[in-house]
Amino acid sequence: MATDFHIATAPPHAAPPAWATEVLACPACHSPLSRHEWSLRCARCGTAGRWEAGIARFGVQDQDPSIAWYEAAGGTCFQDRAQIPYTMSSLDTPVYHSYLQRNQPGSPRDIVVDLGAGDGRNTLPWLAWGYERVVAVDAVVASLARLRTHLLHEHPDWLERVLLVHADVRRLPLAPASVALAVAIETLYYLNEDYALGLGECRRILREDGRLLTAERCWEGALLIHLLYGGVPALCQLADSRDVWDGPADRRVRSRCFTEEEVRGELSRASFEVLETKGVSVLSVVLGYLRGAGCLNADDEKRQPQVRQCLQMLADRGALRKAHVILARPARGGA
Ligand SMILES: C[S@@+](CC[C@H](N)C(=O)[O-])C[C@H]1O[C@@H](n2cnc3c(N)ncnc32)[C@H](O)[C@@H]1O
Ligand SMILES: [Zn+2]
């Protein structure tokens, strides 16, 4: 876990990027917001949010079990984990970045939103590629603060191009039909029964020519995770359901998984047309497990580049998935 999280390291009210109010909207009525000092106001509803320590903050239900679980963990630390050989993050991150690269919107002014951005492993590439209006949304402020601290230290000049938003993806404070690409990597499945609400919000914020790139947990990959980390009883439990349980025995979090057909069905019901379904190989789960069990050696570490190539190939051609990665667009004539 990163130890450099100090929300106080940011000036308490560092100004929002100049373009923030073009993108932000009231999470209740979706009217534009204006900034008065540090409050973000809707002409109809009054104060809808506030600007605090470089983050646009909106009301988040921290009683939600998934959000509470991430809060208790101090947020995500995927950027750190991605530096450690053979962690799932280090193996999956380059694969996810290849999907981002292939789906770059045409103009650097196009708005890209990273939903459930965590500490920003899938936010940073957009800034590195020169995109000028990148929005990172997460329900856990510690993760966004960690991303901000990283930017302050490493790339302070990028801060004008990123808007950090503390909000729930079920109630996005973003303008309708404004976004060219919404990215939701391993996020929406934490909504469980509210999954369709999250997809509905993605649909609402997308331009008619926009795209959604979403990574959703595959049922078969989840079965393997349950077997490896919970044994045969956990395998049997998931065989009859789609409820995935993660985390140590005394602090578990429930999320959802899908067959490819199921996730395509959800997208279609939310007025999306699926353009492409690929994935992330389940081998990263197995390799992460073997690493944790001390079964990988220094020689294996040297072979990590080859293993990465193999995982990249499987992302395109493999069928045994940890996650389905789906590219979709608003359905023609849809809601
Ligand atoms: C598995 S992490 C993925 C983080 C990031 N997308 C990545 O790939 O590095 C899931 C993220 O979803 C966020 N999250 C969970 N429920 C959420 C909600 N209702 N609204 C917004 N973010 C949420 C968590 O805080 C966490 O950062
Ligand atoms: Zn309003």
Side-chain angles (χ1 to χ4, degrees), residues 120-154:
R121 70 171 166 160
N122 297 310
T123 311
L124 294 170
W126 301 104
L127 298 166
W129 294 328
Y131 282 82
E132 293 166 16
R133 296 191 292 174
V134 179
V135 184
V137 179
D138 204 280
V140 176
V141 77
S143 300
L144 296 170
R146 192 171 290 127
L147 170 56
R148 182 170 164 78
T149 301
H150 171 81
L151 288 167
L152 273 171
H153 289 156
E154 304 294 328

Tab-separated table of all heavy atoms in Angstrom, residues 120-154:
chain	number	residue	atom	x	y	z
A	120	GLY	N	-5.817	5.449	-10.642
A	120	GLY	CA	-5.563	6.044	-11.950
A	120	GLY	C	-4.669	5.282	-12.918
A	120	GLY	O	-4.181	5.874	-13.869
A	121	ARG	N	-4.540	3.948	-12.759
A	121	ARG	CA	-3.633	3.272	-13.710
A	121	ARG	C	-4.153	3.391	-15.145
A	121	ARG	O	-3.369	3.384	-16.088
A	121	ARG	CB	-3.413	1.803	-13.338
A	121	ARG	CG	-4.600	0.929	-13.525
A	121	ARG	CD	-4.290	-0.535	-13.347
A	121	ARG	NE	-5.556	-1.242	-13.228
A	121	ARG	CZ	-5.725	-2.524	-13.428
A	121	ARG	NH1	-4.704	-3.282	-13.758
A	121	ARG	NH2	-6.915	-3.075	-13.300
A	122	ASN	N	-5.506	3.515	-15.302
A	122	ASN	CA	-6.050	3.680	-16.652
A	122	ASN	C	-6.419	5.122	-16.975
A	122	ASN	O	-7.017	5.395	-18.023
A	122	ASN	CB	-7.274	2.770	-16.834
A	122	ASN	CG	-6.895	1.316	-16.719
A	122	ASN	OD1	-5.945	0.870	-17.374
A	122	ASN	ND2	-7.586	0.568	-15.868
A	123	THR	N	-6.076	6.032	-16.067
A	123	THR	CA	-6.281	7.466	-16.314
A	123	THR	C	-4.995	8.057	-16.892
A	123	THR	O	-5.034	8.860	-17.839
A	123	THR	CB	-6.592	8.211	-14.982
A	123	THR	OG1	-7.608	7.517	-14.268
A	123	THR	CG2	-7.029	9.634	-15.244
A	124	LEU	N	-3.873	7.641	-16.326
A	124	LEU	CA	-2.589	8.251	-16.693
A	124	LEU	C	-2.246	8.130	-18.182
A	124	LEU	O	-1.712	9.090	-18.770
A	124	LEU	CB	-1.458	7.669	-15.834
A	124	LEU	CG	-1.566	8.018	-14.336
A	124	LEU	CD1	-0.570	7.221	-13.512
A	124	LEU	CD2	-1.350	9.520	-14.136
A	125	PRO	N	-2.533	6.978	-18.850
A	125	PRO	CA	-2.149	6.904	-20.266
A	125	PRO	C	-2.760	8.028	-21.106
A	125	PRO	O	-2.103	8.571	-21.998
A	125	PRO	CB	-2.696	5.544	-20.714
A	125	PRO	CG	-2.751	4.726	-19.472
A	125	PRO	CD	-3.069	5.695	-18.362
A	126	TRP	N	-4.014	8.423	-20.772
A	126	TRP	CA	-4.659	9.487	-21.565
A	126	TRP	C	-3.891	10.789	-21.444
A	126	TRP	O	-3.756	11.548	-22.408
A	126	TRP	CB	-6.118	9.666	-21.112
A	126	TRP	CG	-6.867	8.386	-21.287
A	126	TRP	CD1	-7.222	7.509	-20.309
A	126	TRP	CD2	-7.264	7.793	-22.527
A	126	TRP	NE1	-7.828	6.412	-20.865
A	126	TRP	CE2	-7.875	6.564	-22.217
A	126	TRP	CE3	-7.181	8.181	-23.873
A	126	TRP	CZ2	-8.382	5.721	-23.198
A	126	TRP	CZ3	-7.696	7.344	-24.847
A	126	TRP	CH2	-8.283	6.130	-24.504
A	127	LEU	N	-3.404	11.060	-20.246
A	127	LEU	CA	-2.646	12.295	-20.016
A	127	LEU	C	-1.310	12.212	-20.731
A	127	LEU	O	-0.864	13.178	-21.367
A	127	LEU	CB	-2.476	12.520	-18.511
A	127	LEU	CG	-3.809	12.706	-17.767
A	127	LEU	CD1	-3.632	12.594	-16.267
A	127	LEU	CD2	-4.421	14.064	-18.138
A	128	ALA	N	-0.699	11.031	-20.689
A	128	ALA	CA	0.585	10.841	-21.381
A	128	ALA	C	0.408	11.000	-22.895
A	128	ALA	O	1.318	11.480	-23.580
A	128	ALA	CB	1.149	9.456	-21.060
A	129	TRP	N	-0.776	10.612	-23.417
A	129	TRP	CA	-1.017	10.732	-24.862
A	129	TRP	C	-1.480	12.134	-25.266
A	129	TRP	O	-1.809	12.361	-26.426
A	129	TRP	CB	-2.069	9.705	-25.309
A	129	TRP	CG	-1.620	8.281	-25.169
A	129	TRP	CD1	-0.353	7.813	-25.301
A	129	TRP	CD2	-2.430	7.137	-24.852
A	129	TRP	NE1	-0.332	6.453	-25.090
A	129	TRP	CE2	-1.588	6.008	-24.819
A	129	TRP	CE3	-3.800	6.948	-24.595
A	129	TRP	CZ2	-2.041	4.715	-24.537
A	129	TRP	CZ3	-4.255	5.668	-24.313
A	129	TRP	CH2	-3.388	4.566	-24.285
A	130	GLY	N	-1.600	13.033	-24.313
A	130	GLY	CA	-1.900	14.431	-24.648
A	130	GLY	C	-3.375	14.798	-24.620
A	130	GLY	O	-3.743	15.904	-25.035
A	131	TYR	N	-4.251	13.898	-24.142
A	131	TYR	CA	-5.670	14.274	-24.070
A	131	TYR	C	-5.839	15.417	-23.077
A	131	TYR	O	-5.171	15.451	-22.034
A	131	TYR	CB	-6.545	13.054	-23.721
A	131	TYR	CG	-6.739	12.211	-24.961
A	131	TYR	CD1	-5.760	11.296	-25.358
A	131	TYR	CD2	-7.840	12.410	-25.777
A	131	TYR	CE1	-5.889	10.583	-26.535
A	131	TYR	CE2	-7.982	11.694	-26.961
A	131	TYR	CZ	-7.009	10.784	-27.335
A	131	TYR	OH	-7.135	10.098	-28.507
A	132	GLU	N	-6.712	16.363	-23.439
A	132	GLU	CA	-6.772	17.627	-22.697
A	132	GLU	C	-7.905	17.691	-21.679
A	132	GLU	O	-7.938	18.581	-20.838
A	132	GLU	CB	-6.924	18.780	-23.703
A	132	GLU	CG	-5.683	18.934	-24.557
A	132	GLU	CD	-5.907	19.823	-25.783
A	132	GLU	OE1	-6.918	20.553	-25.824
A	132	GLU	OE2	-5.052	19.760	-26.686
A	133	ARG	N	-8.880	16.741	-21.823
A	133	ARG	CA	-10.005	16.760	-20.885
A	133	ARG	C	-10.288	15.322	-20.429
A	133	ARG	O	-11.081	14.609	-21.037
A	133	ARG	CB	-11.226	17.396	-21.545
A	133	ARG	CG	-10.963	18.860	-21.896
A	133	ARG	CD	-12.210	19.607	-22.311
A	133	ARG	NE	-12.761	19.155	-23.571
A	133	ARG	CZ	-13.921	19.584	-24.074
A	133	ARG	NH1	-14.647	20.462	-23.406
A	133	ARG	NH2	-14.350	19.149	-25.236
A	134	VAL	N	-9.574	14.949	-19.380
A	134	VAL	CA	-9.650	13.583	-18.856
A	134	VAL	C	-10.300	13.653	-17.474
A	134	VAL	O	-9.885	14.441	-16.629
A	134	VAL	CB	-8.230	12.963	-18.753
A	134	VAL	CG1	-8.293	11.548	-18.186
A	134	VAL	CG2	-7.542	12.982	-20.117
A	135	VAL	N	-11.342	12.838	-17.286
A	135	VAL	CA	-12.080	12.877	-16.017
A	135	VAL	C	-11.907	11.533	-15.313
A	135	VAL	O	-12.131	10.486	-15.917
A	135	VAL	CB	-13.593	13.142	-16.265
A	135	VAL	CG1	-14.333	13.281	-14.943
A	135	VAL	CG2	-13.786	14.385	-17.139
A	136	ALA	N	-11.484	11.562	-14.061
A	136	ALA	CA	-11.348	10.335	-13.262
A	136	ALA	C	-12.384	10.383	-12.150
A	136	ALA	O	-12.364	11.301	-11.323
A	136	ALA	CB	-9.947	10.232	-12.675
A	137	VAL	N	-13.294	9.410	-12.154
A	137	VAL	CA	-14.376	9.370	-11.157
A	137	VAL	C	-14.158	8.170	-10.250
A	137	VAL	O	-13.913	7.059	-10.743
A	137	VAL	CB	-15.755	9.189	-11.858
A	137	VAL	CG1	-16.879	9.122	-10.832
A	137	VAL	CG2	-16.009	10.279	-12.880
A	138	ASP	N	-14.276	8.362	-8.959
A	138	ASP	CA	-14.281	7.220	-8.049
A	138	ASP	C	-15.068	7.577	-6.793
A	138	ASP	O	-15.168	8.756	-6.428
A	138	ASP	CB	-12.853	6.784	-7.671
A	138	ASP	CG	-12.818	5.309	-7.245
A	138	ASP	OD1	-13.167	5.007	-6.085
A	138	ASP	OD2	-12.472	4.454	-8.081
A	139	ALA	N	-15.612	6.544	-6.145
A	139	ALA	CA	-16.407	6.758	-4.928
A	139	ALA	C	-15.536	6.812	-3.688
A	139	ALA	O	-16.048	7.065	-2.595
A	139	ALA	CB	-17.448	5.646	-4.801
A	140	VAL	N	-14.239	6.533	-3.847
A	140	VAL	CA	-13.338	6.533	-2.678
A	140	VAL	C	-12.316	7.655	-2.861
A	140	VAL	O	-11.465	7.615	-3.751
A	140	VAL	CB	-12.650	5.162	-2.529
A	140	VAL	CG1	-11.638	5.173	-1.394
A	140	VAL	CG2	-13.710	4.092	-2.274
A	141	VAL	N	-12.436	8.662	-1.992
A	141	VAL	CA	-11.638	9.873	-2.191
A	141	VAL	C	-10.142	9.603	-1.978
A	141	VAL	O	-9.298	10.242	-2.614
A	141	VAL	CB	-12.174	11.027	-1.308
A	141	VAL	CG1	-11.768	10.875	0.141
A	141	VAL	CG2	-11.736	12.368	-1.859
A	142	ALA	N	-9.805	8.626	-1.132
A	142	ALA	CA	-8.378	8.340	-0.871
A	142	ALA	C	-7.663	7.924	-2.156
A	142	ALA	O	-6.495	8.263	-2.369
A	142	ALA	CB	-8.243	7.244	0.183
A	143	SER	N	-8.362	7.183	-3.022
A	143	SER	CA	-7.738	6.739	-4.273
A	143	SER	C	-7.452	7.943	-5.174
A	143	SER	O	-6.372	8.058	-5.761
A	143	SER	CB	-8.658	5.756	-5.018
A	143	SER	OG	-8.900	4.635	-4.216
A	144	LEU	N	-8.442	8.844	-5.260
A	144	LEU	CA	-8.260	10.032	-6.113
A	144	LEU	C	-7.171	10.936	-5.549
A	144	LEU	O	-6.381	11.521	-6.305
A	144	LEU	CB	-9.579	10.798	-6.221
A	144	LEU	CG	-10.712	10.035	-6.919
A	144	LEU	CD1	-12.034	10.785	-6.753
A	144	LEU	CD2	-10.394	9.839	-8.404
A	145	ALA	N	-7.115	11.037	-4.226
A	145	ALA	CA	-6.075	11.868	-3.592
A	145	ALA	C	-4.700	11.269	-3.887
A	145	ALA	O	-3.730	12.001	-4.092
A	145	ALA	CB	-6.326	11.965	-2.098
A	146	ARG	N	-4.626	9.935	-3.921
A	146	ARG	CA	-3.346	9.274	-4.222
A	146	ARG	C	-2.927	9.590	-5.663
A	146	ARG	O	-1.771	9.871	-5.947
A	146	ARG	CB	-3.507	7.768	-4.025
A	146	ARG	CG	-2.214	7.014	-4.017
A	146	ARG	CD	-2.431	5.564	-3.595
A	146	ARG	NE	-2.779	5.465	-2.204
A	146	ARG	CZ	-3.842	4.832	-1.720
A	146	ARG	NH1	-4.680	4.220	-2.527
A	146	ARG	NH2	-4.059	4.788	-0.429
A	147	LEU	N	-3.908	9.563	-6.555
A	147	LEU	CA	-3.622	9.907	-7.954
A	147	LEU	C	-3.154	11.360	-8.044
A	147	LEU	O	-2.173	11.668	-8.743
A	147	LEU	CB	-4.884	9.671	-8.805
A	147	LEU	CG	-4.877	10.192	-10.231
A	147	LEU	CD1	-3.698	9.630	-11.037
A	147	LEU	CD2	-6.195	9.832	-10.937
A	148	ARG	N	-3.824	12.235	-7.302
A	148	ARG	CA	-3.444	13.649	-7.350
A	148	ARG	C	-2.029	13.859	-6.802
A	148	ARG	O	-1.237	14.613	-7.369
A	148	ARG	CB	-4.463	14.480	-6.554
A	148	ARG	CG	-4.155	15.955	-6.606
A	148	ARG	CD	-5.259	16.799	-6.040
A	148	ARG	NE	-4.764	18.133	-5.780
A	148	ARG	CZ	-4.581	19.072	-6.695
A	148	ARG	NH1	-4.887	18.830	-7.952
A	148	ARG	NH2	-4.106	20.245	-6.366
A	149	THR	N	-1.712	13.178	-5.725
A	149	THR	CA	-0.369	13.299	-5.142
A	149	THR	C	0.675	12.834	-6.154
A	149	THR	O	1.724	13.468	-6.336
A	149	THR	CB	-0.276	12.461	-3.842
A	149	THR	OG1	-1.257	12.952	-2.941
A	149	THR	CG2	1.088	12.566	-3.191
A	150	HIS	N	0.376	11.725	-6.830
A	150	HIS	CA	1.301	11.211	-7.854
A	150	HIS	C	1.513	12.264	-8.945
A	150	HIS	O	2.647	12.548	-9.337
A	150	HIS	CB	0.720	9.918	-8.437
A	150	HIS	CG	1.450	9.411	-9.636
A	150	HIS	ND1	2.611	8.675	-9.528
A	150	HIS	CD2	1.220	9.567	-10.963
A	150	HIS	CE1	3.052	8.385	-10.742
A	150	HIS	NE2	2.226	8.917	-11.631
A	151	LEU	N	0.411	12.871	-9.397
A	151	LEU	CA	0.528	13.880	-10.460
A	151	LEU	C	1.302	15.104	-9.970
A	151	LEU	O	2.148	15.643	-10.697
A	151	LEU	CB	-0.859	14.286	-10.953
A	151	LEU	CG	-1.579	13.214	-11.788
A	151	LEU	CD1	-3.045	13.565	-11.975
A	151	LEU	CD2	-0.900	13.036	-13.144
A	152	LEU	N	1.014	15.522	-8.735
A	152	LEU	CA	1.726	16.694	-8.183
A	152	LEU	C	3.231	16.464	-8.171
A	152	LEU	O	4.008	17.364	-8.482
A	152	LEU	CB	1.255	16.971	-6.752
A	152	LEU	CG	0.027	17.849	-6.593
A	152	LEU	CD1	-0.434	17.840	-5.139
A	152	LEU	CD2	0.323	19.286	-7.031
A	153	HIS	N	3.616	15.219	-7.837
A	153	HIS	CA	5.049	14.926	-7.756
A	153	HIS	C	5.683	14.678	-9.112
A	153	HIS	O	6.793	15.129	-9.384
A	153	HIS	CB	5.294	13.687	-6.866
A	153	HIS	CG	5.045	13.965	-5.420
A	153	HIS	ND1	4.723	12.989	-4.517
A	153	HIS	CD2	5.055	15.126	-4.720
A	153	HIS	CE1	4.561	13.536	-3.323
A	153	HIS	NE2	4.751	14.823	-3.428
A	154	GLU	N	4.973	13.931	-9.960
A	154	GLU	CA	5.596	13.464	-11.207
A	154	GLU	C	5.281	14.329	-12.423
A	154	GLU	O	6.105	14.455	-13.322
A	154	GLU	CB	5.148	12.014	-11.507
A	154	GLU	CG	5.439	11.018	-10.391
A	154	GLU	CD	6.933	10.805	-10.173
A	154	GLU	OE1	7.682	10.884	-11.160
A	154	GLU	OE2	7.326	10.582	-9.012
